[in-house]
Amino acid sequence: MIEIINLDNTPSLVNRFMRELRDTSIQTDPLRFRRNLERIGEIMAYEISKRLDYHNEEIITPLSKVNIKETSEKIVLATILRAGLPFHNGFLNYFDHAENAFVSAYRKYKEKGDKFDVLVEYLASPDIEGKTLIIVDPMLATGSSMELGYRALLNNGTPAKIHVASVIASQQAMDYIVKVMPEDKTTIWTAAIDPEINSHSYIVPGLGDAGDLAYGVKL
């Protein structure tokens, strides 16, 4: 069974960063918005690091020798462009030796209405065979972009472990990802689970369009 870890269940500094991300009177500052995504990424990376496998490694200090614990897992950080970049950077600040992968998954709307397809047009990824894959995307509304991004990454191997990381996820997305991801090696992390999505498939209450708030409105 896939484990879901919701940081909102244990009050912490994450709650303050989440408040600033959601608050319309604060989120108009793109620099602050990006930094808050990054800070949540840093905290989540630290929490994920507690779940990794470690081995002892001897190093030499100026005075003696000492054994330290070093992770035994090879990590690949993958993100869904473009909103995922500051969140991804928070993870990279801590997993600074990780390899990196990038996937473009975006909504292509139909001519009329709110219907859309999710398309993947770009993939840059190292070999992920037997490695620990951490896929980060700040907003999981339907879960479709995450699934398609993951399936695109499988062209470069099959990971040994998978961590799916988000800032805000809808309950619908959580239910969907639990169904489509490998249950024997997937852990899902989020900082909040919101109850629904609207007719445009935006998370409610959510925070709006994370990509636009971080980098400006797109055409």
Side-chain angles (χ1 to χ4, degrees), residues 44-52 91 95 134 163 165 189:
M44 203 168 285
Y46 174 72
E47 293 298 322
I48 290 175
S49 75
K50 298 176 184 178
R51 302 294 190 92
L52 303 179
F91 279 84
F95 292 120
I134 303 175
H163 294 276
W189 301 77

Side-chain angles (χ1 to χ4, degrees), residues 75-118:
I75 296 169
V76 176
L77 294 176
T79 196
I80 310 297
L81 300 174
R82 67 178 168 150
L85 288 173
F87 191 41
H88 176 98
N89 199 57
F91 279 84
L92 190 57
N93 288 343
Y94 280 26
F95 292 120
D96 52 304
H97 290 97
E99 297 177 281
N100 293 266
F102 301 92
V103 182
S104 70
Y106 70 96
R107 297 178 178 185
K108 184 175 179 61
Y109 284 89
K110 310 288 187 179
E111 290 184 8
K112 296 180 180 180
D114 299 321
K115 300 292 184 180
F116 61 87
D117 295 320
V118 177

Side-chain angles (χ1 to χ4, degrees), residues 167-200:
V167 175
I168 302 175
S170 72
Q171 187 59 57
Q172 177 179 323
M174 281 297 189
D175 295 341
Y176 183 75
I177 291 171
V178 165
K179 291 179 181 178
V180 300
M181 297 297 288
E183 65 176 74
D184 60 331
K185 56 185 177 182
T186 302
T187 305
I188 303 174
W189 301 77
T190 189
I193 300 176
D194 285 359
E196 59 184 348
I197 58 175
N198 64 17
S199 60
H200 296 281

Side-chain angles (χ1 to χ4, degrees), residues 129-141:
E129 184 68 33
K131 298 176 183 177
T132 296
L133 177 65
I134 303 175
I135 315 177
V136 307
D137 189 2
M139 307 297 288
L140 297 181

Side-chain angles (χ1 to χ4, degrees), residues 1 3 8 12 46 50 54 57 63 74 78 90 94 97-98 104 116 119-120 131 152-153 170 193:
M1 183 175 179
E3 183 181 9
D8 191 42
S12 70
Y46 174 72
K50 298 176 184 178
Y54 290 83
E57 204 170 278
L63 300 177
K74 295 181 178 179
Y94 280 26
H97 290 97
S104 70
F116 61 87
L119 303 181
V120 174
K131 298 176 183 177
L153 289 163
S170 72
I193 300 176

Side-chain angles (χ1 to χ4, degrees), residues 139-160:
M139 307 297 288
L140 297 181
T142 66
S144 297
S145 295
M146 177 61 70
E147 180 197 10
L148 290 177
Y150 166 67
R151 298 204 180 283
L153 289 163
L154 291 181
N155 289 316
N156 287 5
T158 302

Side-chain angles (χ1 to χ4, degrees), residues 23-80:
D23 191 332
T24 55
S25 67
I26 299 175
Q27 65 177 203
T28 51
D29 181 349
L31 177 61
R32 193 169 180 179
F33 187 86
R34 291 193 301 270
R35 181 57 184 133
N36 281 328
L37 288 178
E38 185 179 34
R39 289 195 286 191
I40 293 175
E42 290 170 344
I43 292 170
M44 203 168 285
Y46 174 72
E47 293 298 322
I48 290 175
S49 75
K50 298 176 184 178
R51 302 294 190 92
L52 303 179
D53 295 328
Y54 290 83
H55 65 273
N56 286 323
E57 204 170 278
E58 186 179 79
I59 63 169
I60 299 174
T61 78
L63 300 177
S64 183
K65 297 179 180 179
V66 64
N67 283 320
I68 58 95
K69 292 190 179 298
E70 179 62 76
T71 180
S72 305
E73 301 182 30
K74 295 181 178 179
I75 296 169
V76 176
L77 294 176
T79 196
I80 310 297

